[in-house]
Amino acid sequence: AEDGIRDYKVTGVQTCALPILSEGTVLDGSTQRALTGSTNGSRPMIHIDGSPIVYQENSIIVAQNVAGLSVLAKNTVIKGLQITNFSFAAVTLWGPVAQNVNVIGCTLGTDSKGLTALPNGYGVFVFNGSANNVIGGADKGQGNLIAGNTGYGVVIQDEGSDNNLVIGNLVSTDITGMKPLPNEYNGIGIFLKAKNNTIGGAKPGMRNILSGNKGNMVLIGDRKSTRLNSSHLVISYAVFCLKKK
C-alpha cells in the first residue's frame, strides 16, 4: 500500500471488466477512513487498478479495452475512489437506464496524491442516452480530480445524453489546481446530439478548473445545446471549438 492506500488489484488473465453496477448501488470509498483512520488527508484510500487486466486471443495475451466501473442503472453513487490504468475509461455511464448517477470525490487518472499520471483512456464517459447525472459537486470534497488520461477528461455524447451537470472538478490539473497534469486530448467534450448539458454553475463551488490539456479545454459540438457558465469556469490557455450542427 502507498501512504496507507489500500490497493485492490485484479490479477492474472481476465476476460471481462469489473461487474456492472446495478440500480441503487452506493460505492463509497470514503468510508474506509472510518475503519482505519486517514493517512492520506482527503484523498481516496481505495484504489481500483486496471493495469493487470488482459485477455487471451489465439494464445497471445493482449490488453483488454475495458472500463473501471460501468453503470447501466439509475440512482447509483460512485464516491471517493482512485481509478487508474483502464484502457477505455475510469467510469462509464451507459444508456438511458443510467440516470441520476453521481460521481463525486474521485481521483481518475492519477496517483493517490494527485500529482502523477496513471492514465485511463478517458476519465468519465457518458453516452448512448445516459441523462440527468452529476459529475462532481458544489460542496467541499465532492469535486473529482480528472487528469493524466490519454483521451478526454469528460465526454458526454449521443442523442438522449441530456441534462447532465459537470461541476466543481479539477480537469487536467494536479490536486493543487495550480499545475498542469494534462489529459492528452481534450478536457471536456459534449457532442453528437447531446443536449441541455451544463458545465459549471452560479455558485463558486460549482466552478470547474481546467488547465494544460494538449487539445481543447472544452469542445462543444452544438453551442445551442450546452450551458457553459463562464463566470465560474476557470480556464488556463483555453481553446474553444464551438461548432454548429
Side-chain angles (χ1 to χ4, degrees), residues 6 26-38 42-46 77 79-81 105:
R6 291 182 178 270
V26 177
L27 195 57
D28 185 357
S30 67
T31 58
Q32 179 66 21
R33 298 188 193 96
L35 299 177
T36 65
S38 177
S42 61
R43 303 313 306 151
M45 299 186 71
I46 303 298
V77 177
K79 180 180 180 182
L81 298 172

Side-chain angles (χ1 to χ4, degrees), residues 135-139 142-144 165-171 173 175-178 188 198-210 228-235:
I135 311 302
D139 295 334
Q142 290 187 334
N144 302 288
L165 182 60
V166 182
I167 54 172
N169 301 290
L170 297 173
V171 181
T173 78
I175 190 59
T176 69
M178 301 299 292
I188 300 173
T198 302
I199 301 171
K203 299 179 180 179
M206 300 175 78
R207 71 179 184 176
N208 298 283
I209 298 178
L210 297 93
L228 182 65
N229 192 315
S230 58
S231 63
H232 290 294
L233 179 69
V234 178
I235 300 179

Side-chain angles (χ1 to χ4, degrees), residues 147-170:
N149 299 293
T150 59
Y152 287 74
V154 178
V155 169
I156 302 172
Q157 70 170 52
D158 301 326
E159 188 170 5
S161 296
D162 304 335
N163 303 308
N164 297 290
L165 182 60
V166 182
I167 54 172
N169 301 290
L170 297 173

Side-chain angles (χ1 to χ4, degrees), residues 109-133:
T110 81
D111 67 348
S112 60
K113 294 181 179 180
L115 300 175
T116 303
L118 296 175
N120 304 287
Y122 298 89
V124 181
F125 201 94
V126 182
F127 69 115
N128 199 27
S130 180
N132 303 306
N133 306 299

